[in-house]
Amino acid sequence: MQLTLSYLIAGWSGFFVMAVELLGGRLLAPTFGSSIYVWGAIITVFMLALSIGYLAGGRLSMNAPSVRKLGLILIVAALTVLPLLLFAESLLDSVAEAIPDPRFGSLVGATVLFFIPTVFSGMISPYAVRLIVPDRTSSGRHAGQLYFVSTFGSAAGTLLTSFYLVLILEVNHILIALMTISGLIGGAACLVRGEANAQ
């Protein structure tokens, strides 16, 4: 069960991150447009936040790792998306007034809205690697499988969100659905007992 949930959470986290990133373009467009500057700002924020999340997740995994804690990370990542539902428009308007240049305004806006959720999402894959690696001799193979699942989830999230979800649902409805699924998966992980074996 721990192994299955670790892979599921990693795959879903990849889906979640890319879906939120694409929706970020929709959220910023009314205020800053949808130029290459805006997308450059969004991608930069997500890449930097993920890199910090990778470091944090790897370090956190060294202290009594468990699938329950992995589930909690996923739940926290989902909860940090809540401000997007409540304050995105007003926050972006305030940023645009303070920084009218769409390049730097969109960079600050993307940072305010997406940096924290993406850091927590980035923590998931390295943490999950610690849970699924049974010994050092097979660590490369298991890490490769985990990142395959995570990246496959990212691709699925990109296609499904851009090709279908944005055509049939409002942005807020998609975010609510993403948060709900994260909560359900994270909640299931929280019911699992036990810690990873120390290596």
Side-chain angles (χ1 to χ4, degrees), residues 4-145:
T4 300
L5 281 170
S6 296
Y7 276 111
L8 177 61
I9 291 172
W12 172 251
S13 176
F15 187 109
F16 180 86
V17 167
M18 290 310 302
V20 172
E21 183 172 352
L22 286 169
L23 295 176
R26 284 292 184 96
L27 290 172
L28 267 66
T31 306
F32 297 106
S34 57
S35 69
I36 192 171
Y37 301 129
V38 175
W39 278 107
I42 292 171
I43 293 170
T44 297
V45 168
F46 272 76
M47 292 295 99
L48 288 175
L50 284 172
S51 67
I52 292 173
Y54 296 152
L55 286 174
R59 294 192 176 189
L60 185 63
S61 73
M62 301 304 295
N63 183 23
S66 70
V67 74
R68 299 178 71 182
K69 292 178 182 178
L70 182 63
L72 285 174
I73 296 171
L74 180 64
I75 291 172
V76 171
L79 290 176
T80 55
V81 172
L82 188 59
L84 275 66
L85 298 172
L86 303 176
F87 311 116
E89 184 176 352
S90 59
L91 282 171
L92 291 174
D93 287 343
S94 297
V95 170
E97 289 180 10
I99 311 173
D101 188 324
R103 296 171 300 174
F104 300 106
S106 61
L107 183 62
V108 171
T111 301
V112 170
L113 293 180
F114 307 118
F115 191 83
I116 293 177
T118 310
V119 167
F120 280 103
S121 296
M123 293 171 66
I124 289 174
S125 288
Y127 195 100
V129 167
R130 178 65 178 83
L131 293 176
I132 67 170
V133 173
D135 57 68
R136 293 176 180 174
T137 59
S138 63
S139 60
R141 177 170 62 85
H142 284 90
Q145 290 175 177

